[in-house]
Structure formats: C-alpha cells, structure tokens
Amino acid sequence: MRIAAVARSSTGADTIEVWIDGTKYDTSHAGTADVKMMNSFYYVPVGTHKITIFARMTDGTKIIKHRTVTVVNYTP
C-alpha cells in the first residue's frame, strides 16, 4: 500500500508518522523547516486496516488523520 502525506505549518513542521493497526511503521523528517513530506510503500496483509497519520509541529501541536482501508489483492 502506498501512503503519501504532506504537512505544512507557518510555525514549523517536525515529523510525519505512519501507524498501521496501532503499530508505528515509519517516521519522516524529509522536507524543509515548514513542510514535511512522506511517500512510502508498506506491505500489509489482505484485509481491513486502520491507517493513522500524525503530523507533529515544532510548537508541540499535532494533526491526526485516520483512514480505514481494505486490501483486497496482493501482487508483489
């Protein structure tokens, strides 16, 4: 599964984290002081999964987005 995310803040962005089914899969520091980016692939089994993306800002705030996805086929 491919996950792409961008976080932008005029006060500064610190990291983007990807959690799948309650397990932390990745942290990205890529980008600039105000913009962080992530574009990665994750292998998960067929079935329904809860994806959570955290964007942590340098001022301590965080933005959280949840999505539920269903993987119906897996072809490497």
Side-chain angles (χ1 to χ4, degrees):
M1 152 178 24
R2 178 182 181 189
I3 296 177
V6 175
R8 182 177 185 277
S9 172
S10 60
T11 61
D14 190 32
T15 61
I16 296 176
E17 297 177 3
V18 172
W19 293 65
I20 301 173
D21 298 328
T23 301
K24 185 176 178 180
Y25 270 62
D26 203 357
T27 300
S28 176
H29 298 277
T32 65
D34 294 338
V35 178
K36 298 300 178 200
M37 300 173 287
M38 173 178 281
N39 185 12
S40 299
F41 288 89
Y42 306 95
Y43 293 97
V44 295
V46 170
T48 301
H49 303 279
K50 181 179 178 183
I51 310 300
T52 304
I53 299 176
F54 292 95
R56 298 184 187 275
M57 305 306 158
T58 54
D59 66 0
T61 60
K62 66 181 171 181
I63 299 168
I64 303 169
K65 295 291 181 179
H66 302 284
R67 296 291 183 261
T68 301
V69 299
T70 300
V71 177
V72 295
N73 191 6
Y74 174 71
T75 304

